[in-house]
Amino acid sequence: MGNDTAETHMTDVDIAIVGGGPAGLSAALALVRARRSVIVIDGGQPRNRFAPHMHGVLGHDGLPPAELLRLGRAEVEGYGGMFISGEATTASVGRDGIRVAVEGRAVRARRLLVATGLRDELPDIDGLREQWGRGVVVCPYCDGWERRNGVIGIVATSPQSVEQAQLLRQWSDRIVYFVNGVGDPDDEATRRLLARGIRIERRAIARIRTDRDDRLTGVELVGGSVVEVGAVFTGPTMHPRDELLLALGAATTEARGMRWVAVDADGRTSIPGVWAVGNVVDPRANVPVSLGAGALIAGAINAGLVDEDVAAALDPAREPQAGRSPGSSGGSLSVKEARSN
Ligand SMILES: Cc1cc2nc3c(=O)[nH]c(=O)nc-3n(C[C@H](O)[C@H](O)[C@H](O)COP(=O)(O)OP(=O)(O)OC[C@H]3O[C@@H](n4cnc5c(N)ncnc54)[C@H](O)[C@@H]3O)c2cc1C
């Protein structure tokens, strides 16, 4: 595969994509169809792997998340896209391209796209983690419809959780806001919650209750009383999986009280040749947004490579080093040929 040699085990491609979730795979599909050689390095831990079904994804509403990725991966492979299973551990930018190390192998690419998603840190409540993605969820647009008109608990993770309670009120008029020691609403927020009939529960939470079939049934309070709810929504602390980008020295910006790697509208980071897309740089990127952003950014990456190919055609001394796609002036090596080398 690629330009492997016994000495280096190096694979040369146009674009290395780290992360094979919706954002990375969508970009990969656009790029392989643009006849670019692409390798996707993926650790196989997409954020929504805990959920049995995915909602709000046009044409795929209700599909298991893993099935979307299986379909996407098959599509990318169908055009010659390559995959490595495993975690990329380091990346470095040099004159001859960007190198990514993964599981004892190395990939050299003209461009690096990081689509590594984020990790959710859940509130530390007995039984909550076990229900994540089923009885305990985060996104009203993903799971609100299925919980409509039911009793919905909001387990606060900060005073901003009152906004999640107000949002969920759109799906049900039976909302219980659990302050959980960290989300005490101020006077104005209290007035707004009560105005919409949202109950405020200030007693401390002991655990999440489930029935014999492992379905969430309620929130048990310290002291033993139980508030029966059919679902819990909570706002985990998000940790972007941006270690590779930070190690490269990518500039960051502050948004929603957190630091994120800064990207422009086309997904460019401050590091030349390095791009990022999806939840790793955008907490609002649900599946459809990640798919769209991946496709958009793929177009911008390809446009930059075309510019570079033109410059190389005008001045052969500037021939691109890594990855030789059919459009580049460095010779015509199709993806299929690259795989069989
Ligand atoms: C419980 C839950 C339910 C959800 N339900 C929905 C829903 O119904 N509808 C919806 O639209 N959205 C839903 N979402 C949101 C959805 O999960 C995200 O929008 C989506 O996963 C973002 O896609 P992504 O490609 O940016 O990241 P991810 O899907 O998280 O993919 C990132 C990939 O990168 C890999 N990776 C990370 N670091 C490395 C590394 N160093 N090397 C190699 N690979 C790496 C990971 O293993 C993973 O496979 C849900 C989220 C949660 C938590």
Side-chain angles (χ1 to χ4, degrees):
M1 165 162 103
N3 300 341
D4 281 1
T5 68
E7 293 92 337
T8 62
H9 301 283
M10 179 73 78
T11 304
D12 279 344
V13 288
D14 289 318
I15 303 107
I17 300 177
V18 181
L25 286 180
S26 175
L29 182 61
L31 288 163
V32 287
R33 283 179 48 78
R35 308 189 70 198
R36 295 295 179 186
S37 55
V38 174
I39 199 158
V40 180
I41 301 162
D42 184 43
Q45 304 277 294
R47 183 184 176 201
N48 57 358
R49 65 189 179 280
F50 305 96
H53 302 105
M54 214 177 45
H55 290 287
V57 185
L58 189 67
H60 294 298
D61 191 54
L63 195 74
E67 182 61 6
L68 181 78
L69 301 185
R70 191 192 65 75
L71 291 168
R73 197 171 161 134
E75 286 169 354
V76 171
E77 279 174 335
Y79 293 99
M82 297 174 276
F83 285 84
I84 298 177
S85 296
E87 295 272 320
T89 45
T90 58
S92 59
V93 180
R95 284 180 62 81
D96 63 345
I98 301 163
R99 285 166 192 255
V100 183
V102 51
E103 314 267 326
R105 300 174 62 175
V107 173
R108 184 172 54 186
R110 294 168 66 185
R111 299 288 186 273
L112 169 63
L113 175 60
V114 175
T116 43
L118 62 77
R119 185 173 62 76
D120 293 292
E121 182 187 335
L122 298 171
D124 187 15
I125 294 171
D126 196 14
L128 187 140
R129 173 169 301 280
E130 291 79 353
Q131 282 291 319
W132 182 232
R134 298 181 295 130
V136 179
V137 289
V138 55
C139 158
Y141 300 99
C142 308
D143 295 295
W145 175 264
E146 285 64 36
R147 312 298 180 184
R148 66 192 183 282
N149 299 328
V151 184
I152 296 175
I154 310 297
V155 171
T157 49
S158 80
Q160 279 71 49
S161 295
V162 292
E163 290 163 22
Q164 198 178 23
Q166 292 287 10
L167 188 57
L168 260 308
R169 178 63 179 75
Q170 171 64 21
W171 281 268
S172 175
D173 59 5
R174 296 189 290 164
I175 305 285
V176 185
Y177 179 73
F178 293 90
V179 169
N180 189 29
V182 292
D184 216 357
D186 62 19
D187 290 349
E188 176 59 11
T190 301
R191 209 172 60 83
R192 290 162 62 90
L193 291 170
L194 296 179
R196 296 190 82 205
I198 297 172
R199 172 177 157 194
I200 302 173
E201 178 54 72
R202 288 196 161 78
R203 286 173 290 175
I205 297 172
R207 65 183 57 83
I208 299 297
R209 282 273 201 110
T210 52
D211 66 12
R212 226 182 262 185
D213 297 324
D214 202 25
R215 275 193 304 252
L216 187 147
T217 55
V219 176
E220 185 180 321
L221 305 172
V222 171
S225 56
V226 176
V227 181
E228 288 184 9
V229 300
V232 162
F233 281 71
T234 194
T237 306
M238 292 180 279
H239 298 281
R241 302 185 66 182
D242 53 12
E243 298 84 357
L244 285 178
L245 294 165
L246 295 179
L248 283 168
T252 59
T253 183
E254 193 166 326
R256 296 167 180 240
M258 285 179 55
R259 292 214 78 74
W260 298 85
V261 167
V263 285
D264 71 8
D266 287 337
R268 269 183 213 88
T269 71
S270 62
I271 309 295
V274 180
W275 305 61
V277 66
N279 267 172
V280 67
V281 285
D282 182 1
R284 299 162 309 167
N286 61 11
V287 171
V289 171
S290 299
L291 292 172
L296 184 90
I297 282 161
I301 291 176
N302 189 50
L305 289 174
V306 168
D307 286 346
E308 201 174 273
D309 293 339
V310 172
L314 292 168
D315 177 3
R318 295 180 56 183
E319 183 182 335
Q321 297 292 313
R324 289 173 293 160
S325 57
S328 76
S329 61
S332 174
L333 182 71
S334 74
V335 172
K336 278 209 171 105
E337 286 164 336
R339 295 177 92 188
S340 59
N341 267 357

